[in-house]
Amino acid sequence: MSVRERGGLLRSRDFRLLWTGETTSVLGSSIAVVALPLVAVVALQASTFAVGLLTAAAWLPWLLIGLPAGAWVDRRPKRPIMLACNTFSMLVFLSVPVAAWFGLLTMTQLLVVAFVGGVAKVFFNVAYRAYLPSLVDKEQLQEANEKLQGSESAAQIGGPGLAGLLAQGFGAVTGVLADAVSFGISVLCLRSIRYREPARPAGPRSRLRDEIREGLAFVVHDPYLRVFAVFGAVSNVALMGYQSIEVVFLARDLGVGPGAVGLVLALVGAGGVFGAALSGKLAARIGTARAFVLCEGFGALMMLLGPLANGGWGLAFFVAAGFALSAGVVGSNVLNATFKQRYVPAAMFGRVTASMSVLSFGAIALGGLLGGFLGEVAGVRQTLGLMAGLEVVAVFALLFTPIGRRRDFPADRV
């Protein structure tokens, strides 16, 4: 039974459970995004490059297993995959505080945890994105994505602040424990969902290699998905090159304490709530494609303010840049996700999503490495400026693509 038949999104028990579980998991992950670098910087005295390597390790699995994961997920029910991934992630991240309590924590373990947790995230994300269109009617996808992205952004506001407070009061490793607990809560919510996906029609199954090739071909030959994949890759190099060293910039270059680092990043994350709430209204007024480009452009231009930040009131530049960037990215993500969920055939959604994500998310690993390397060699502030400039160039190039020339994204493909 669909959400529409049950009386709408907020009256649907299953959607509320999915919403609660995913929001809780994102809260834990946003704590860990700050906590893991803080553990590396404060407890293990890691270099700037090593901190960037943490980000790269978390996203490298997209390059290694993204394509077969998409084809594999398309063959199976999505909820059991999501349950298995979050259970596994809970155990992996729990190993960090356990090792720290026994005095055995090393940078090598942090890198392994980031990588193995990234593997689970690949399968979870592909399954999650394919699961939502089966749970929610097409007409409600925009609203569903706004609610999910909005609450996830709200969780990302509280996460960094909570990570800073936990680090200040109990040590940075406590934030990683909170991430493990959040995965456990998500597992409980997913197990309580009553909706079951319809079984796939029986028939001869293609070889995995052929299904992977089919998903790649779908993206390569589609003028809109191809642009999204390439733009996402370039943009993610810039964004992650910037974000992978922002904790180092705040803690070392500006001398901001752990608690204040969390507060600053919480203020930055507040922009995501604003972007999610505004995206639908903006799309209705100027068109979905134009709204996407406007969100991206606004965030990119404001990003240039970040490297101008200094201590004291000079932090306002960093907060303003981050707030605007978060608003732009989350707003464009809502529009992008809704378009793909309406446009891509359900039977191919996992493969198409994975094909695009291998390029765009794999670029996050490159961005983390590049940010750490350049931050070590050229300086953290200079690297932030370089990444902001790259993001502006990527958005400007978007204007000359089929997406940049449209008012609205195209109607359903099927």
Side-chain angles (χ1 to χ4, degrees):
M1 185 178 293
S2 71
V3 169
R4 181 178 60 180
E5 293 171 321
R6 294 180 183 183
L9 285 177
L10 294 181
R11 298 171 66 181
S12 166
R13 174 182 178 274
D14 285 348
F15 178 77
R16 292 198 308 269
L17 284 168
L18 179 68
W19 192 8
T20 301
E22 181 61 9
T23 302
T24 305
S25 179
V26 170
L27 175 62
S29 296
S30 66
I31 293 173
V33 162
V34 177
L36 276 176
L38 279 176
V39 170
V41 170
V42 176
L44 302 178
Q45 303 301 312
S47 67
T48 301
F49 178 72
V51 174
L53 200 59
L54 269 177
T55 300
W59 294 96
L60 183 60
W62 281 103
L63 286 174
L64 301 180
I65 62 170
L67 291 176
W72 188 82
V73 166
D74 269 343
R75 294 178 170 186
R76 290 166 174 80
K78 310 305 182 286
R79 192 179 71 102
I81 296 174
M82 295 158 64
L83 278 168
C85 289
N86 276 357
T87 301
F88 183 68
S89 296
M90 176 183 66
L91 298 175
V92 167
F93 282 95
L94 187 61
S95 74
V96 173
V98 171
W101 292 333
F102 285 97
L104 301 174
L105 185 63
T106 64
M107 192 65 200
T108 299
Q109 181 180 348
L110 286 185
L111 289 170
V112 171
V113 166
F115 178 80
V116 175
V119 171
K121 189 173 184 178
V122 169
F123 286 95
F124 181 90
N125 278 9
V126 174
Y128 171 68
R129 293 177 184 181
Y131 183 68
L132 183 63
S134 71
L135 183 70
V136 175
D137 197 77
K138 274 192 173 185
E139 287 75 15
Q140 296 173 310
L141 279 172
Q142 177 76 31
E143 180 187 356
N145 281 309
E146 287 177 9
K147 284 181 166 54
L148 288 165
Q149 290 278 353
S151 62
E152 288 172 15
S153 296
Q156 288 167 351
I157 296 171
L162 186 54
L165 292 175
L166 289 172
Q168 196 82 44
F170 306 100
V173 74
T174 311
V176 186
L177 174 62
D179 191 23
V181 171
S182 75
F183 280 118
I185 295 173
S186 179
V187 167
L188 293 176
C189 290
L190 287 170
R191 285 182 61 86
S192 301
I193 292 177
R194 295 170 182 163
Y195 169 77
R196 296 295 181 269
E197 303 155 77
R200 290 190 62 181
R205 178 172 290 177
S206 304
R207 291 182 302 176
L208 193 66
R209 182 174 59 187
D210 293 334
E211 294 184 2
I212 291 172
R213 187 182 297 114
E214 186 180 3
L216 281 170
F218 192 97
V219 174
V220 169
H221 295 120
D222 187 279
Y224 304 103
L225 298 178
R226 184 171 64 239
V227 169
F228 273 125
V230 175
F231 170 75
V234 177
S235 178
N236 282 342
V237 168
L239 294 175
M240 197 49 58
Y242 186 98
Q243 292 174 8
S244 67
I245 58 173
E246 62 184 7
V247 171
V248 178
F249 179 62
L250 292 170
R252 288 185 178 165
D253 289 49
L254 303 186
V256 179
V261 167
L263 177 60
V264 168
L265 294 181
L267 292 173
V268 164
V273 179
F274 178 76
L278 187 64
S279 60
K281 298 179 179 64
L282 191 62
R285 178 176 291 272
I286 67 173
T288 51
R290 289 178 182 173
F292 174 85
V293 174
L294 181 60
C295 287
E296 290 285 352
F298 173 68
L301 290 173
M302 290 295 291
M303 189 177 173
L304 294 169
L305 293 177
L308 303 179
N310 287 297
W313 288 105
L315 278 175
F317 286 105
F318 186 88
V319 173
F323 183 94
L325 180 62
S326 180
V329 168
V330 171
S332 66
N333 282 348
V334 170
L335 298 167
N336 184 0
T338 303
F339 162 65
K340 287 187 291 188
Q341 287 163 350
R342 290 172 174 169
Y343 186 75
V344 178
M348 292 191 63
F349 195 86
R351 281 168 285 170
V352 169
T353 299
S355 296
M356 298 177 68
S357 297
V358 163
L359 185 60
S360 61
F361 286 173
I364 292 179
L366 176 60
L369 282 173
L370 192 60
F373 174 75
L374 291 177
E376 195 80 41
V377 173
V380 174
R381 188 185 299 271
Q382 291 79 0
T383 301
L384 292 177
L386 181 63
M387 294 301 161
L390 178 60
E391 179 70 3
V392 171
V393 171
V395 176
F396 180 73
L398 192 64
L399 297 174
F400 301 95
T401 68
I403 292 173
R405 293 191 291 266
R406 293 187 65 103
R407 182 186 188 277
D408 288 287
F409 291 134
D412 300 358
R413 181 172 181 142
V414 294

